[in-house]
Amino acid sequence: MSSSAPVVRSAEPSGEVLREIPLPPYVPGEDAQFAVRAVVVHAPRRWSGGTICRNDASPHPCRLHRWGRRVLALHGLPTAEIDALIERGDPTAAPRPHRPGA
């Protein structure tokens, strides 16, 4: 008998329930680079109705932004470093794993 991880669901304002994008078991450099692109391209944008995804105008944080943050955290980046990547706005920036004391 196999055990599966629980499916995390997010309720969207439209009432639609979306599944979270699965995380990889480990994060190679290529996945970390995709995650940087996801958080930068799907960054928040202030709009008259609130904060939306800059790329697709869905409520922020969208699925890809949430996935990118989770992957980068799994890669070892602290929240402040992820926020700095988003602030820089460069989807090609190379993320480096955070190593305290290194």
Side-chain angles (χ1 to χ4, degrees):
M1 179 181 269
S2 68
S3 169
S4 62
V7 175
V8 178
R9 295 176 186 258
S10 172
E12 298 295 321
S14 66
E16 183 180 339
V17 175
L18 300 175
R19 293 179 187 220
E20 291 292 343
I21 300 170
L23 290 174
Y26 60 92
V27 182
E30 184 178 71
D31 283 349
Q33 191 62 57
F34 286 136
V36 168
R37 184 170 181 84
V39 297
V40 170
V41 171
H42 295 267
R45 179 177 183 190
R46 301 287 289 151
W47 199 252
S48 60
T51 305
I52 61 171
C53 171
R54 182 173 60 193
N55 186 61
D56 60 19
S58 65
H60 186 76
C62 68
R63 288 177 63 201
L64 280 171
H65 187 89
R66 292 190 308 263
W67 175 84
R69 279 191 169 275
R70 290 178 12 239
V71 168
L72 292 172
L74 186 61
H75 188 59
L77 270 70
T79 303
E81 181 63 27
I82 297 169
D83 292 340
L85 283 169
I86 296 166
E87 184 68 29
R88 275 184 251 145
D90 180 6
T92 63
R96 297 194 177 175
H98 178 69
R99 293 189 178 102

